[in-house]
Amino acid sequence: MYLGRLRKHIIITITVTVTALCSVNAQQMGTAVSTFLEFPVSAHTAALGGNVTSFSGTDPMFAFNNPALLKSEVYNQIHLNYSVYMFHTGYGSAAYTTRFSDKDAFMVGFQGAFYGKMDSYDPSGNPIGTVSANDFALTATYSRWLNRYFSVGVTIKPVINSYGGYTSFSLGSDIGVMFHDSASLVNLAVTAQNFGGRLAGPEGVVMASKWMPLNVSIGLTKRLKKAPIAFNLTLQNLQTWKKYDSIGKMIGRKFIVGMDIMPLSEKFWVGLSYNFDRGLSLDNPTVLSLSGLSFGGGAKLYMFRLGVGIAFYSTASVTAHFSLSMDVNWFNQSKKVKL
């Protein structure tokens, strides 16, 4: 009977994965209307390259990359994150986790990008004040462990893009599957992120594409048995293969490699990664650039977890990511100790 159930779960996993991959051709992804959804949502995700879909810890913010990573043992937690970009711009995220059972987890979240204010002019060139530009997304994530090996998850996210007097509304989703082998300490995951597109937009405005920035990824994480180290490998944007000046560069852009130093207690973490697509896109032979490199660290202090991530997204600036999370369950534990 167990083999029969396992076979059923494997079939479900394959079906979800094939559906995600086959749906790509139907969407014909172009220039995205919501590229802010690709921004890292926490210091830890930023330190590991921004898109780790097979993370081996319990940090629920990685569920923004793969909803199957949301775990039921992490519940009643609040997570806040903010990133300082450049020229008075930034982006942030927030999340709250809960659970329905030992196998079913749920999280509500928020993502926002804030581009500051800018001067506005009428068609004749006369100034008419200032306008702001912002992107917002709400997320609802559900995950379930099917058995000791497989978990699946789905995220639904409405998105609002507001630029001055123009507003558009989109609806997207993420789906993910993860295989976990506790004996070999290996995680293998497949995800399709940002599957969806624009439902409503400003009249008379032609946009490059109505589709969200779809990203089909495969992730592999391997933890060492005798050391608190995990190695991450992600192949991203597998739905599209742009032609570059060499096959090696075309394939290389798919890779994100990283290393995480984190004990099983998760009382601290130190991460380092390199995003090849980011590094190659911003490569400049005349300027020394660290683009593509990310690193950071964090620690647990009582009921709080603090994290800082540093990433190089351009040759002109450094982006700092700050994260703070709070375990609400700590209050109940403190009451029990006093009693």
Side-chain angles (χ1 to χ4, degrees):
M1 292 181 63
Y2 175 76
L3 291 177
R5 291 196 300 269
L6 181 59
R7 188 180 300 111
K8 178 181 178 181
H9 295 325
I10 293 175
I11 292 175
I12 293 175
T13 301
I14 295 174
T15 301
V16 172
T17 303
V18 171
T19 300
L21 294 174
C22 291
S23 299
V24 178
N25 292 331
Q27 291 204 70
Q28 293 295 314
M29 306 306 296
T31 304
V33 298
S34 300
T35 53
F36 81 102
L37 294 172
E38 300 176 325
F39 295 166
V41 294
S42 71
H44 204 167
T45 59
L48 294 182
N51 186 28
V52 174
T53 61
S54 54
F55 180 66
S56 62
T58 60
D59 187 343
M61 297 307 290
F62 283 89
F64 279 84
N65 299 143
N66 179 1
L69 293 177
L70 184 63
K71 298 180 179 179
S72 61
E73 59 261 39
V74 184
Y75 65 99
N76 283 347
Q77 291 192 0
I78 299 172
H79 297 260
L80 302 173
N81 310 274
Y82 190 76
S83 303
V84 180
Y85 196 43
M86 62 172 67
F87 305 120
H88 307 290
T89 64
Y91 49 91
S93 63
Y96 173 76
T97 61
T98 186
R99 65 178 181 180
F100 302 136
S101 71
D102 291 340
K103 295 182 178 180
D104 303 270
F106 183 73
M107 179 177 73
V108 290
F110 165 84
Q111 287 178 266
F114 316 101
Y115 310 113
K117 294 184 178 181
M118 57 199 78
D119 295 330
S120 180
Y121 301 88
D122 63 18
S124 300
N126 301 312
I128 55 176
T130 60
V131 296
S132 60
N134 305 287
D135 292 318
F136 304 98
L138 298 177
T139 63
T141 300
Y142 169 77
S143 70
R144 178 177 175 82
W145 277 95
L146 302 178
N147 54 38
R148 60 181 294 187
Y149 294 107
F150 288 95
S151 66
V152 296
V154 61
T155 296
I156 303 298
K157 45 188 170 185
V159 178
I160 296 177
N161 308 102
S162 178
Y163 308 127
Y166 301 97
T167 302
S168 66
F169 174 76
S170 305
L171 184 63
S173 64
D174 304 339
I175 56 175
V177 183
M178 185 180 71
F179 169 79
H180 170 72
D181 185 358
S182 57
S184 59
L185 300 179
V186 169
N187 286 357
L188 179 64
V190 179
T191 63
Q193 304 170 51
N194 304 322
F195 180 76
R198 179 165 49 88
L199 301 179
E203 295 183 2
V205 177
V206 179
M207 303 186 72
S209 172
K210 66 178 181 179
W211 302 115
M212 295 171 69
L214 183 66
N215 186 352
V216 176
S217 305
I218 296 177
L220 174 66
T221 296
K222 167 62 178 175
R223 286 188 69 99
L224 301 183
K225 292 184 178 181
K226 297 184 179 181
I229 298 175
F231 295 99
N232 301 294
L233 173 65
T234 303
L235 296 175
Q236 61 177 350
N237 288 314
L238 298 178
Q239 78 283 354
T240 180
W241 294 83
K242 297 180 181 179
K243 293 183 179 180
Y244 294 94
D245 54 4
S246 68
I247 295 178
K249 182 175 291 188
M250 180 179 67
I251 297 176
R253 286 176 176 268
K254 304 298 180 182
F255 284 81
I256 300 176
V257 295
M259 180 181 70
D260 215 12
I261 301 175
M262 182 177 63
L264 293 176
S265 64
E266 300 189 39
K267 290 186 177 180
F268 71 90
W269 63 268
V270 177
L272 174 68
S273 69
Y274 189 80
N275 186 317
F276 283 85
D277 181 54
R278 189 184 302 149
L280 291 172
S281 297
L282 300 174
D283 181 45
N284 188 336
T286 63
V287 178
L288 178 61
S289 174
L290 297 177
S291 299
L293 180 67
S294 303
F295 57 89
K300 179 181 179 182
L301 301 172
Y302 299 102
M303 63 184 296
F304 297 103
R305 291 182 183 272
L306 306 174
V308 177
I310 301 297
F312 300 87
Y313 300 137
S314 72
T315 58
S317 66
V318 177
T319 300
H321 301 262
F322 303 95
S323 295
L324 170 66
S325 64
M326 181 176 67
D327 187 354
V328 181
N329 297 305
W330 189 87
F331 291 107
N332 296 328
Q333 295 172 358
S334 298
K335 291 180 180 179
K336 291 180 180 180
V337 172
K338 293 179 179 180
L339 294 175

